[in-house]
Amino acid sequence: VQLAESGGGSVQAGGSLRLSCSVSKFFFPTSCMGWFRQAPGKEREGVAVIDSDGRTAYAEPVKGRFTISQDNSERTLYLQMNSLTVDDSGTYLCAARLVTLNDRPTWEKLSDYGWWGQGTQVTVSA
C-alpha cells in the first residue's frame, strides 16, 4: 500500500487549504484512514479520521474548521482546512489502519496505523 499526500503549501492565517492523499490500494469495507500532523519539536498528533462506514472523528483543535472526506472511486482521502491558524502549521500525513471506528473508537493511537504517507508541509503565517 502506498499513500501519497499533496496539497500542502503556505497560506496566511484565516486562509484555507485542501489536502489530498492518494491510496494505491484502498481497504474496503473494514478500513479507517486518518490525517495526522507533526510540528517541529512536537509529537505527531491526530487531526481527523474517517472509516469505510463514513464515520468521522476530529481532534478538538480542528473541530468546526476541518472536514475529512474520501472518494472511494478515486481512492483518495481529503482534508479541507478552513480558518487556518499559525498553530496548524506542520507536516501533514495520511495513514491507514484496518479497524473501523465502530470496532475501535479510539483513533489517535499511532501504532494502530500500519501504513503512512511521506507527508505534505503546511505553513500558516500570521
Side-chain angles (χ1 to χ4, degrees), residues 8-111:
S10 298
V11 64
Q12 289 190 325
S16 299
L17 283 173
R18 188 176 83 153
L19 305 182
S20 299
C21 174
S22 177
V23 185
S24 65
K25 181 179 179 181
F26 200 87
F27 296 99
F28 190 83
T30 56
S31 68
C32 189
M33 295 198 67
W35 286 100
F36 293 76
R37 67 186 180 187
Q38 188 165 18
K42 295 187 176 181
E43 293 186 353
R44 189 170 297 183
E45 62 180 4
V47 175
V49 67
I50 186 168
D51 71 7
S52 55
D53 295 325
R55 295 183 180 89
T56 60
Y58 295 89
E60 283 297 328
V62 308
K63 281 184 178 179
R65 299 188 298 121
F66 290 12
T67 302
I68 189 170
S69 62
Q70 61 188 12
D71 185 327
N72 292 349
S73 63
E74 295 294 329
R75 299 202 306 270
T76 303
L77 177 73
Y78 298 102
L79 184 68
Q80 178 66 44
M81 306 187 295
N82 299 327
S83 302
L84 285 161
T85 71
V86 173
D87 290 339
D88 294 319
S89 296
T91 300
Y92 282 69
L93 308 97
C94 63
R97 73 177 194 185
L98 292 178
V99 183
T100 66
L101 285 172
N102 183 61
D103 291 336
R104 189 177 299 169
T106 303
W107 60 273
E108 296 174 275
K109 186 177 180 182
L110 303 182
S111 60

